[in-house]
Amino acid sequence: MRSILTCMLVLLVTLSCKSQKMKANKGWENLLANGTQGWHTYGKAETGTAWTVEDGVLHFKPVADKAQRGDLATDKDYANFHLKLEWKVAKKGNSGIMFNVLEDAKKYPQPYLTGPEMQVLDNDGHPDAKIFKHRAGDLYDLIPCSKETVKPAGEWNKAEIISNNGKLEFYLNGVKVVSTTMWDDAWNKMVAASKFKTMPDFGKFKSGKIVLQDHGDEVWFKNIMIKAL
């Protein structure tokens, strides 16, 4: 009897854990569930060989053939969303996570012409770290991190981008590091005072692609999850 009760208790605990996990994952989409399916090189129909997925980890390696390289874009557009992922860079590495990117490669040859970016960087080794608002976790060239929580090159960082009806928040390793409002007067003035002032459509769109940057350095991403808000 005691053995039967023990087995029943274990079964109930297991079912409860599965139920809680299902609730926690409700509404979330795993963007690496099928490898690089659901992604493509920005401005192209397919994904180059520089981007590979192995054991659930997306890896960019700057191969010699530049035709196989390029920024990696989602096939889908996203508007209000909660994006969470993990990233790490090689020593002296640089990359970025862009969003609200309008993919019109003829009009916008690069995704940064339209999409704001969360900076991905080796703060200890890359020269960009010496530039204000260019450090890891910054809203690139617009808002610096309120607190630096980035880990050294080669270690995984947990990042989140929450964009909801103009309210934008960045989290890095569990800490809110950026909070702002897009598309209001303050946003427009901030953009006009940045390097993006010569890019008339930067930060204007309320939906678009998620784009991972090929900056010429090795970078890894995993557990890329997104939920519509």
Side-chain angles (χ1 to χ4, degrees):
M1 177 64 73
R2 184 174 295 176
S3 177
I4 294 174
L5 289 173
T6 301
C7 289
M8 289 178 67
L9 181 60
V10 170
L11 179 60
L12 287 171
V13 170
T14 301
L15 290 173
S16 177
C17 290
K18 285 184 177 179
S19 177
Q20 290 177 12
K21 187 175 181 181
M22 288 176 67
K23 287 180 180 178
N25 289 333
K26 187 177 181 180
W28 287 95
E29 178 185 1
N30 181 355
L31 295 184
L32 292 181
N34 298 304
T36 55
Q37 290 183 31
W39 297 83
H40 62 276
T41 301
Y42 179 84
K44 298 182 180 180
E46 299 178 349
T47 303
T49 58
W51 293 94
T52 58
V53 175
E54 185 174 352
D55 296 328
V57 177
L58 176 65
H59 178 205
F60 170 77
K61 187 174 182 179
V63 296
D65 184 359
K66 291 188 177 181
Q68 296 299 320
R69 292 176 47 180
D71 299 317
L72 193 67
T74 55
D75 291 346
K76 294 181 182 179
D77 285 359
Y78 297 92
N80 299 320
F81 63 85
H82 183 171
L83 174 71
K84 58 183 181 181
L85 54 80
E86 295 179 58
W87 63 262
K88 67 178 180 179
V89 287
K91 287 187 176 180
K92 299 182 181 180
N94 187 339
S95 182
I97 305 160
M98 289 172 273
F99 54 97
N100 291 352
V101 173
L102 180 65
E103 189 170 19
D104 180 345
K106 288 185 178 180
K107 187 174 183 180
Y108 309 113
Q110 300 295 335
Y112 61 72
L113 293 172
T114 59
E117 174 189 343
M118 183 187 207
Q119 175 75 305
V120 169
L121 196 77
D122 170 16
N123 276 359
D124 294 327
H126 196 281
D128 251 27
K130 297 178 181 178
I131 304 173
F132 186 51
K133 304 178 196 172
H134 285 204
R135 294 172 68 84
D138 290 356
L139 176 56
Y140 182 77
D141 209 64
L142 295 172
I143 300 177
C145 284
S146 58
K147 181 179 181 181
E148 292 198 354
T149 61
V150 68
K151 296 180 181 180
E155 294 187 22
W156 287 104
N157 293 273
K158 293 183 178 180
E160 297 179 64
I161 299 174
I162 303 174
S163 176
N164 193 11
N165 293 315
K167 184 177 180 182
L168 179 66
E169 295 178 343
F170 286 179
Y171 289 80
L172 190 60
N173 295 318
V175 177
K176 185 193 292 186
V177 293
V178 169
S179 181
T180 191
T181 300
M182 295 184 287
W183 313 312
D184 62 8
D185 289 342
W187 172 266
N188 294 333
K189 288 177 182 177
M190 182 167 58
V191 171
S194 74
K195 68 184 294 182
F196 303 110
K197 61 187 176 184
T198 60
M199 306 174 193
D201 292 329
F202 172 83
K204 294 286 180 68
F205 300 102
K206 297 184 179 181
S207 66
K209 312 291 185 186
I210 305 294
V211 177
L212 305 177
Q213 190 178 43
D214 164 6
H215 204 281
D217 303 313
E218 273 193 285
V219 61
W220 295 259
F221 299 92
K222 67 178 182 179
N223 298 327
I224 307 178
M225 307 290 290
I226 195 165
K227 179 169 67 174
L229 299 177

